Amino acid sequence: MRAAVITAPGEVEVTEVPDPTPGARQVVVKVSACGLCGTDLHILQGEFAPTLPVVPGHEFAGEIVEIGSAVTELAIGDRVAVDPSLYCHECRYCRVGRNNLCERWAAIGVTTAGGAAEYAVAPVANCVKLPDHVRTEDAALIEPLSCAVRGYDILRSQLASRVVIYGSGTMGLMMLELGKLTGAASIEMIDVNPERLETARRLGCTAAAASADELDRPEGWDVVIDATGNEKAIQDGLGRVAKGGTFLQFGVSDYSARATIEPYKIYNQEITITGSMAVLHSFERAADLFAAGALDPEIFISHRLPLGDYVSALDAFKRGEGRKIQVLPGA
């Protein structure tokens, strides 16, 4: 089969790899669509993935074409979205329900072959069957949505919070949509990309600007979310949290990124600084939200490219073009 393979830091190619075979409690999924994510760029940089080469792609959905000998829950022909999370279920963190902090954390498309391929293997427990009205290609959005749901689990937002989100790429826009569902009084968006800000306005944000200085919030915001991973944006956001407010580090930064905090201010103003890591007990809820229409795929997906264009798709993603970029292995 054909697959995109990151062979070494900075090197990726589309090539032939062996067809996958399922274990007893696994299925083989014919991939309909695979989304690109910032994590893929980190893997390309030599971060995250413990070993290379690896087939990337942790946001994918498709049709089951083969099942393992002990699989009874799903059948050939079922359409599924796949939770890429692979936990040991044995370490201290798994045993206290914090599986996303697993000491042996792994993920499809990071530590094992992923969905940037014609076929991918997944545990049956990680597959969520899609309702008839959900297009298989669109369902690749469920994984990033599940990360956003986890982010709001961490926030435990109160009704009528004033929210600002740094970054109006895919994840920032998903946080915008969930913020509306959780009853925020206002949600303002910051991004240096005018096209992305226009999409945020289209989705109904309260205001959108290239800088927080352009927004009339001298007292700051109750909730500040960084969805960029950018060091300068993070530093600016930390200084915009209102008294009693929360800063959520949601975007994935480089390992080398650093920011300065003011311990007295954190103490004196009871500011919370927290983070959200990937998926935790949120994939099925994200699938339900997606099926209920929480996101409009036609707005969120800007590029649908054949697998053979994976390298150029990554380049477009690095340039900040569009919103969610997908590759379609069957195209």
Side-chain angles (χ1 to χ4, degrees), residues 83-249:
D83 179 350
S85 308
L86 301 173
Y87 310 129
C88 76
H89 301 288
E90 296 176 354
C91 71
R92 174 178 180 269
Y93 296 102
C94 285
R95 289 169 64 85
V96 297
R98 301 296 297 273
N99 305 65
N100 63 326
L101 304 181
C102 175
E103 292 175 353
R104 304 177 187 89
W105 183 89
I108 301 168
V110 180
T111 58
T112 64
E118 293 178 305
Y119 300 94
V121 170
V124 64
N126 291 51
C127 298
V128 174
K129 190 174 178 180
L130 301 174
D132 291 342
H133 71 278
V134 172
R135 285 199 346 159
T136 316
E137 294 89 344
D138 296 342
L141 287 170
I142 291 174
E143 194 281 337
L145 180 60
S146 71
C147 295
V149 171
R150 170 62 182 162
Y152 273 93
D153 287 347
I154 290 287
L155 282 172
R156 299 185 177 92
S157 294
Q158 292 182 326
L159 286 171
S161 293
R162 298 169 301 175
V163 179
V164 67
I165 300 172
Y166 284 74
S168 56
T170 303
M171 299 313 302
L173 295 174
M174 285 188 177
M175 296 300 273
L176 164 62
E177 294 292 71
L178 293 185
K180 288 153 56 178
L181 291 176
T182 56
S186 62
I187 308 175
E188 291 158 305
M189 306 291 293
I190 299 171
D191 202 302
V192 296
N193 186 318
E195 181 184 352
R196 289 182 170 180
L197 287 180
E198 186 55 40
T199 304
R201 294 186 185 97
R202 181 180 175 188
L203 290 175
C205 69
T206 307
S211 167
D213 292 332
E214 298 176 30
L215 302 169
D216 186 23
R217 292 290 184 189
E219 73 281 16
W221 286 267
D222 302 316
V223 177
V224 176
I225 300 170
D226 174 71
T228 69
N230 178 276
E231 194 173 90
K232 291 182 179 179
I234 294 166
Q235 190 66 69
D236 189 70
L238 285 167
R240 306 285 182 171
V241 185
K243 292 181 179 180
T246 298
F247 177 90
L248 175 67
Q249 187 55 51

Side-chain angles (χ1 to χ4, degrees), residues 41-96:
L41 294 183
H42 284 282
I43 296 171
L44 185 62
Q45 293 167 359
E47 298 178 342
F48 291 1
T51 59
L52 297 176
V54 69
V55 176
H58 58 279
E59 304 177 3
F60 66 99
E63 179 182 334
I64 294 175
V65 294
E66 189 176 354
I67 62 173
S69 59
V71 172
T72 58
E73 301 91 332
L74 295 170
I76 292 173
D78 285 344
R79 300 176 309 113
V80 295
V82 178
D83 179 350
S85 308
L86 301 173
Y87 310 129
C88 76
H89 301 288
E90 296 176 354
C91 71
R92 174 178 180 269
Y93 296 102
C94 285
R95 289 169 64 85
V96 297

